[in-house]
Amino acid sequence: MIVIAGLEYDSNVITICNIRDPTTSIVLSKQYTDTVGSRWRLNVYPKGNNTNQRYLSTYVELYQYTVELLHDDVTRQVKFQSEDHFKVGDIQGYQKFIRVRRLLEEGYLNAEGSILIRLSIRPANLALRCQYQEEYQTLKEDKLRTQFNAQLNQNLTRIKSLRDDNASLQALVYPEYASNIFVVRNFSALREAQEDICSDNAYDDLGCCWRLIVYANGDKEGRDEWLSVYLRLLEGIPGSYEYCVELLHNDAAKTVKMEGTQSFDIQERFGWTRFARLDWICANGFVSEEQDALYFRFSLRPPNYKAKCEYHHLLRLEAKRECELLKRELIPSYSTKTYTLRNFSEMQRKDSFIYSDPLVDDLGFTWRLLIYANGHNEARGNHLSIYLILFEGVSASRFEYRVELLHPQNPTANIKMEGVNVFKLKKIWGWPQFMDHERLQEEGYLDQSADTLEFRLSMCPPDIKLKCEYQQQFIRKLKENQK
């Protein structure tokens, strides 16, 4: 430190390298902070600043200052001292600090080719130092305050965003209530008659059906003194539900509310024999004088989103089961007959055909398979040919069919022909090339030990409406034939 007139300089020795490097035009020292808090640095031009490279130039960026070019011989040190008024970013200094030739020839460069410059800086007097310190502290506080306010605003924005996200998340995690209003009319008459009353069926967004049951004069131990209220799950998925049952009042603060979580079973009621005292209800304006009515609101929901998804899944399974039951009622079941063709090889040699045993369906229609062991028409000699014939019934009937060639050892290998067709009486329809002979033997459909093939025939109308129509037509036909 250098002391001048009782006021200390802030001094730093700065090493300026690469003085001899022809490509170096300016060297900037590191920034330093003085005791006031101001930051400054030294700018050195090894080739001079606009002086045709004859001088070393130095500039300072703040206050009263001393710039010294150090030398091993103290008497040769170059020193400049000055006092200037600085603005932030301004530079003040010496364009012709020292001639470059002198710098190079008189030993100012050390072995590494560098020079040492000591820069000392201070406010011009103690009063200015105090003033600068106060001003700088004010600037620093303003800067910190600005940074703090900016950070605070960012945090507040983030908190608001988190709250919004939390509200959105709660909307997902906690489903909304399904709410219903139930008006109990003629309350006084119901109370005198000691009757209960049920709300209309109320459905939540799962499709569960609920009812609210109100005993106007109380139930069981609450009779004559208490209003009794119950919830009942009529249809839907039994399980845990959150409920909220409210007896409404014009003054919301007086509304009677019961809420919680309860496990409900189908047709099992849950509630309160002592929901609210009857005398208190009448005395506090719950009963509408004009309509003699009480107003209830009951709300229900699954306890969380996970439970709601599980209930949805169970409802889908239940709906699927009901759909299957409905299909069984609306879509007729197949009438089925299994037939074994014997002596297949002999029939193949004789080039003959055979009718299967008759299948009489539940309408009374008679069906048969016509089987050509050695093929029919263009398939003769190479394929098994099978035809389906309506022997007895209503002509031009539309039926679903299923004709199967069964595999003796592997049911999954059964050959199946199925679809819908319009059949006329005693007109053959089918498959001339049902299966070639080689495949019958190679894939094991022909039971060679018994020389048999096994078939299964299944028939039914496409829907219950057609079945009823065919039934009526067939009955009329039978009656006409009896005349």
Side-chain angles (χ1 to χ4, degrees), residues 386-423:
I386 299 177
Y387 299 94
L388 182 55
I389 304 175
L390 172 60
F391 264 80
E392 186 67 34
V394 177
S395 187
S397 297
R398 188 166 179 263
F399 267 74
E400 291 185 8
Y401 63 85
R402 185 185 298 153
V403 177
E404 298 174 86
L405 173 60
L406 307 183
H407 195 285
Q409 283 82 35
N410 184 10
T412 60
N414 292 350
I415 302 298
K416 184 186 298 183
M417 300 293 185
E418 58 184 343
V420 181
N421 189 56
V422 176
F423 294 91

Side-chain angles (χ1 to χ4, degrees), residues 135-153:
E135 290 176 354
Y136 184 75
Q137 186 65 28
T138 301
L139 289 173
K140 188 174 181 181
E141 289 175 357
D142 289 343
K143 183 177 180 181
L144 289 174
R145 189 178 296 107
T146 301
Q147 291 176 346
F148 174 78
N149 289 335
Q151 187 66 37
L152 179 62
N153 289 333

Side-chain angles (χ1 to χ4, degrees), residues 322-333 400 460-468:
E322 291 180 358
C323 185
E324 291 297 328
L325 292 174
L326 187 61
K327 281 183 178 180
R328 291 176 188 175
E329 295 178 2
L330 298 180
I331 300 176
S333 58
E400 291 185 8
C460 75
D463 56 62
I464 196 69
K465 180 182 177 183
L466 282 177
K467 182 175 182 178
C468 293

